[in-house]
Amino acid sequence: MTPAHGPDTADGSVVSAAVEFRGGSAMIPAARDVVRGFAARLAERGVQPADSFLDAARLVVSELVTNALRHAPGPCRLELTLVGDGVEIAVSDTGDAFPTFLPRDPVRVGRHGLEIVTRLCDAVITKPHATGKTVYAHLPLT
């Protein structure tokens, strides 16, 4: 894991965090820890999300990083950025296959991750790039 925490602009107005993971199941709890630290930085800036925000953000990050671990070779990158009334969660990986959104099925065991993410977030989009793809999820603060 290579942390790159800190503001992305010279004036420090952007609250963001970015971490590179090399792989392995340890990156999932480490990603949740990044969310906890990011939420603490939001509080330091006077941003007061809903009480449910931290748990929701940790769940979304867990699901997206787990998908990257399971379905893409190589490293992945987690970025969290305060954007307006929410947080953009971006998980980049080296896989070229887009996530598969399965229809709701309460009887199915497992494979509900993206269903959970889409219910918690305002928007979920995937964009390809030269070395794989990035899944972006916008989680409201309230």
Side-chain angles (χ1 to χ4, degrees):
M1 173 174 75
T2 306
H5 301 285
D8 291 336
T9 60
D11 67 1
S13 62
V14 174
V15 181
S16 66
V19 179
E20 301 275 345
F21 296 105
R22 289 181 181 82
S25 61
M27 68 188 213
I28 299 164
R32 289 192 295 262
D33 290 343
V34 171
V35 172
R36 186 180 313 114
F38 180 76
R41 290 183 55 224
L42 290 177
E44 290 169 3
R45 297 285 181 103
V47 177
Q48 298 298 321
D51 290 340
S52 60
F53 173 79
L54 180 58
D55 288 337
R58 292 178 76 209
L59 180 56
V60 169
V61 164
S62 292
E63 294 297 338
L64 294 179
V65 170
T66 297
N67 284 350
L69 176 64
R70 287 187 179 161
H71 302 291
C76 82
R77 177 179 175 86
L78 168 64
E79 291 185 66
L80 305 169
T81 307
L82 179 62
V83 178
D85 63 349
V87 171
E88 180 181 84
I89 299 166
V91 176
S92 302
D93 64 45
T94 58
D96 54 6
F98 276 39
T100 302
F101 290 85
L102 299 174
R104 185 177 180 277
D105 181 357
V107 181
R108 183 178 64 241
V109 176
R111 301 194 66 198
H112 292 280
L114 288 174
E115 182 180 346
I116 292 166
V117 171
T118 58
R119 291 197 184 265
L120 291 172
C121 295
D122 289 353
V124 179
I125 61 169
T126 303
K127 292 183 180 180
H129 52 77
T131 60
K133 68 180 170 303
T134 301
V135 178
Y136 297 91
H138 183 268
L139 181 64
L141 290 167
T142 57

